Amino acid sequence: MNILKVKTKHEMSCLAADIMAAQIIKKPDSVLGLATGETPIEMYDNVAKRNIDFSRVRTVNLDEYVGLDGANENSYRYFMDTNFFSKLNIKKENTNLPCGTATDLDAECARYNALLESIGPRDIQLLGIGLNGHVGFCEPNTEFVPNTSVVSLTESTIKANSRFYDDISLVPKQALTMGIRQIMDAKHILLIANGPAKVEIVEKAFYGKITPAVPASVLQLHPNVTVIVAEN
Ligand code: GLP
């Protein structure tokens, strides 16, 4: 595990953007695993400004809220379209997220599992980290859940994500998320975290015990992980 410590969010975003850009330049048909949240927004913007050819790139996102469709501005589909895909020459059909409004959520998990299987290992999997150590929406648990599943979000996650909603009662209580085995299948994992609020969980996840109670701690077992942590 390569842990890079930088001072500012700007430095973190530039460094992460350099890594993602290099990946696509090296392999124009790269498969990218993508993440949402406040942390990657500047990185996405930085990558988009480089005018890299995304016409052969395929993407798979980690997760989506149950009940929100792509037109909802709190959905992760909307987030990705707005913050990244709309700024690139990527083909919409090459971008994938779980569908939060599927009527049969188990069937949607099966569809996403099959999609991940057919698309093969991602060249890079971008991750953020939740305050409780979640990656994607893999919440603290008694075991590592391997594949895509429907999860109930913890109080801590609902509270943390309520900053994007007018009222906490509007935050969805469930999400669909890629599983831990699927995250670990990526060839290179790039995790970014910034700010004083993330210091404690970064310490716990990457220098502490490997446990499903801190899902990100499993990354200690992956052979190719880059963590970029910014103080501010
Ligand atoms: C959400 C997402 C995660 C993300 C986390 C942290 O829960 N599902 O993928 O890493 O938020 O978000 P932020 O970057 O806003 O702190």
Side-chain angles (χ1 to χ4, degrees), residues 19 36 40 52 62 71 81-82 91 103 131 133 136 140 229:
I19 294 172
T36 54
I52 298 164
L62 287 165
D81 286 347
T82 313
K91 298 187 179 99
T103 43
L131 292 174
V229 196

Side-chain angles (χ1 to χ4, degrees), residues 35-40 62-63 76 127-130 134-137 157 161 163-164 198:
T36 54
E38 212 172 316
T39 314
L62 287 165
D63 47 10
Y76 285 165
L127 295 175
I129 184 168
H134 73 237
V135 281
F137 269 133
T157 299
N161 290 350
R163 71 201 133 123
F164 302 113
K198 296 280 171 80

Side-chain angles (χ1 to χ4, degrees), residues 29-65:
D29 60 347
S30 288
V31 178
L32 309 179
L34 299 177
T36 54
E38 212 172 316
T39 314
I41 293 177
E42 187 182 341
M43 186 214 81
Y44 284 142
D45 195 48
N46 185 314
V47 172
K49 288 202 169 104
R50 298 179 191 218
N51 290 320
I52 298 164
D53 181 14
F54 269 75
S55 61
R56 294 167 63 202
V57 171
R58 288 171 299 161
T59 67
V60 273
N61 261 77
L62 287 165
D63 47 10
E64 179 60 281
Y65 285 111

Side-chain angles (χ1 to χ4, degrees), residues 96-142:
N96 299 281
L97 283 91
C99 174
T101 51
T103 43
D104 181 342
L105 293 176
D106 290 336
E108 178 55 13
C109 290
R111 181 193 72 83
Y112 216 61
N113 287 336
L115 172 84
L116 288 166
E117 200 64 41
S118 73
I119 222 164
R122 279 130 287 142
D123 293 290
I124 287 201
Q125 175 64 58
L126 177 69
L127 295 175
I129 184 168
L131 292 174
N132 62 6
H134 73 237
V135 281
F137 269 133
C138 297
E139 293 280 39
N141 207 328
T142 48

Side-chain angles (χ1 to χ4, degrees), residues 66 137-139 149-153 173-177:
V66 168
F137 269 133
C138 297
E139 293 280 39
S149 65
V150 184
V151 294
S152 295
L153 302 179
K173 308 278 181 296
Q174 285 188 307
L176 293 160
T177 185

